[in-house]
Amino acid sequence: MSTYKIKQGDTLSGIASQHGLNYKDIAKWNNISDPNRIQAGATLNLSAPQQQSTAPKAPSQPTSPTSTPKTSSQPNQGGQTTTLLGQINELINKP
């Protein structure tokens, strides 16, 4: 975050102009209700504050299911046992 220390004689619009910003944005970012009244020696934030996300964060570690999914096994045409997922894959990949 970029900052600026106000000097004697500075104006908010002058500071904004020097940094390619709008004085209204600087006033908002710094909770300045009267842009004509700034205090020499005070420090201004020259960028918007970081937004706090209200969305829940994704877990940092992948989570595993609490139980193992149940599968059914059946012998296929060759007498081998396949799972339901294997049967689905066979159907999808049939020419």
Side-chain angles (χ1 to χ4, degrees):
M1 178 178 289
S2 181
T3 59
Y4 176 82
K5 188 169 184 175
I6 302 172
K7 300 179 187 91
Q8 187 70 33
D10 278 343
T11 63
L12 202 55
S13 61
I15 296 166
S17 177
Q18 289 172 358
H19 293 91
L21 300 168
N22 185 306
Y23 80 93
K24 291 179 182 179
D25 289 333
I26 296 175
K28 182 171 68 170
W29 299 334
N30 292 276
N31 298 315
I32 298 173
S33 57
D34 184 353
N36 296 313
R37 296 183 54 107
I38 57 173
Q39 186 75 28
T43 301
L44 294 173
N45 292 320
L46 297 180
S47 59
Q50 296 292 325
Q51 294 291 326
Q52 292 291 329
S53 175
T54 57
K57 290 186 177 183
S60 58
Q61 295 291 326
T63 57
S64 59
T66 55
S67 64
T68 305
K70 297 188 189 308
T71 59
S72 64
S73 297
Q74 298 178 5
N76 65 10
Q77 292 173 346
Q80 298 173 334
T81 302
T82 59
T83 63
L84 182 57
L85 183 57
Q87 292 171 354
I88 293 170
N89 281 333
E90 286 177 20
L91 289 173
I92 291 172
N93 294 319
K94 253 187 180 173

